[in-house]
Amino acid sequence: MRVFLTGATGFVGSHILTELLAAGHQVIGNSRSGAGALHLERAGAAVHRGDLSDPAELAKGAESADAVIHTAFDHDFACYAENCEKDRRVIEAIGDVLAGSDRPLLITSAIGVGSTGPGQFAREDVLDRDHPMPRIASELAGLAVRERGVSVGVVRLSQIHDPVKQGLVSPLIDLARTKGASAYVGEGGNRWSAASVEDAARLYVLALEQHEPGTCWHAVAEEAIPMRAIAEAIGRGLGVPVHAIAESEAGKHFGWMAPFASFDMPGSSAVTRERLGWVPAGPTLLENLSRMDYSVAKG
């Protein structure tokens, strides 16, 4: 297939690019910079210049494509709700291009919106349309364009990681470095799911090649890692103390990350594994945290 890939030079997208090309697909990679365009050309992809701030222009990259994988996202989590609305507009613009065709559109969402309630594991067959997590905007946009005749599928991401980046864990590392301590809320029993970036990239390609309209897939290799274990791994890596923070003090310590630090976000990928034959093989989150070079300052 000829695949339009947004976020093609990003953390997850760059790995999807490699997987798509290795599988024999042609790729039109989206890039917002000249350096990114050069990287895509050297990798063997065609280039479409576009930016999330101009959804209609970005969506033009889908005009000559057989399928679209949308992973581009503004990962400034301090403006998370605003960036999720930006993602909604991009999905709607891509939908305008694909409406009335059977060309697949894979969009990206987050595990949490598939939970049936507190303490419950997110499932592929669940969508809480009233979930307070702002990323619900992406899935609601997917439903809206599906009603207009777009063949939509969803990949929900957990904490995607390698030894350099780890989703929402990365800002926790930066915070622990700044504060001189690694913290968790309460007893640290709230849980996050995770998957290596290599496993997540393979999942996108499987989801594209076995596309089923209206389906949702979970990039979850580890279902429920306690936040205390994550905080302890960060503490070991940075050589700083680890301690609990009362929920009433979470806002003061974690700032914009306070809601995330308290979220319980376990997730299942049982359906994804069974129906796609996806078998995660990458390292665990804690293994990659142990392999990090914590001497390199992050920003």
Side-chain angles (χ1 to χ4, degrees):
M1 285 183 279
R2 183 172 170 83
V3 183
F4 177 47
L5 174 62
T6 74
T9 60
F11 179 47
V12 177
S14 60
H15 287 80
I16 297 172
L17 171 68
T18 300
E19 293 286 339
L20 285 170
L21 293 172
H25 299 289
Q26 300 176 45
V27 178
I28 307 165
N30 164 242
S31 175
R32 61 183 179 181
S33 71
L38 182 59
H39 171 80
L40 292 174
E41 290 172 350
R42 287 174 174 170
V47 177
H48 176 75
R49 294 292 294 272
D51 190 277
L52 293 170
S53 62
D54 188 349
E57 184 63 31
L58 185 148
K60 287 180 180 179
E63 291 177 350
S64 64
D66 302 314
V68 177
I69 297 178
H70 173 49
T71 68
F73 190 78
D74 186 341
H75 287 92
D76 179 359
F77 287 102
C79 304
Y80 190 43
E82 177 184 335
N83 292 333
C84 290
E85 281 301 304
K86 185 188 299 183
D87 192 55
R88 176 185 60 78
R89 292 190 291 270
V90 169
I91 291 169
E92 290 176 347
I94 295 173
D96 289 341
V97 175
L98 300 181
S101 74
D102 59 357
R103 292 180 288 170
L105 166 61
L106 277 183
I107 65 173
T108 303
S109 183
I111 286 295
V113 300
S115 174
T116 57
Q120 301 300 307
F121 280 47
R123 302 199 319 256
E124 294 94 335
D125 61 344
V126 172
L127 173 61
D128 179 1
R129 299 188 185 207
D130 298 316
H131 199 284
M133 182 180 290
R135 196 68 193 259
I136 190 66
S138 300
E139 295 213 29
L140 295 179
L143 291 175
V145 300
R146 186 182 176 198
E147 291 177 357
R148 295 180 3 229
V150 181
S151 185
V152 180
V154 181
V155 176
R156 291 180 182 152
L157 299 181
S158 56
Q159 304 311 309
I160 306 302
H161 58 85
D162 69 5
V164 177
K165 298 180 70 173
Q166 302 87 23
L168 284 170
V169 179
S170 291
L172 283 178
I173 295 170
D174 292 345
L175 182 65
R177 181 183 284 110
T178 300
K179 296 277 188 177
S182 180
Y184 52 88
V185 178
E187 297 182 356
N190 58 305
R191 302 153 296 171
W192 286 3
S193 52
S196 73
V197 68
E198 297 89 354
D199 285 330
R202 286 193 299 105
L203 174 57
Y204 274 95
V205 177
L206 287 171
L208 177 66
E209 294 177 339
Q210 302 179 46
H211 178 66
E212 300 175 33
T215 52
C216 179
W217 311 110
H218 279 187
V220 172
E222 297 178 272
E223 295 182 333
I225 310 164
M227 281 301 297
R228 180 168 180 168
I230 295 172
E232 289 172 342
I234 293 171
R236 285 192 298 271
L238 290 173
V240 299
V242 180
H243 60 86
I245 294 287
E247 190 156 355
S248 61
E249 296 294 315
K252 180 179 179 181
H253 179 85
F254 289 101
W256 66 265
M257 275 214 70
F260 295 106
S262 301
F263 274 166
D264 189 38
M265 298 187 288
S268 168
S269 59
V271 173
T272 299
R273 297 180 192 225
E274 179 181 353
R275 291 175 60 179
L276 291 183
W278 182 62
V279 181
T284 67
L285 173 62
L286 298 186
E287 285 172 344
N288 270 337
L289 286 175
S290 72
R291 296 169 181 169
M292 279 192 68
D293 181 359
Y294 287 87
S295 67
V296 180
K298 303 294 191 300

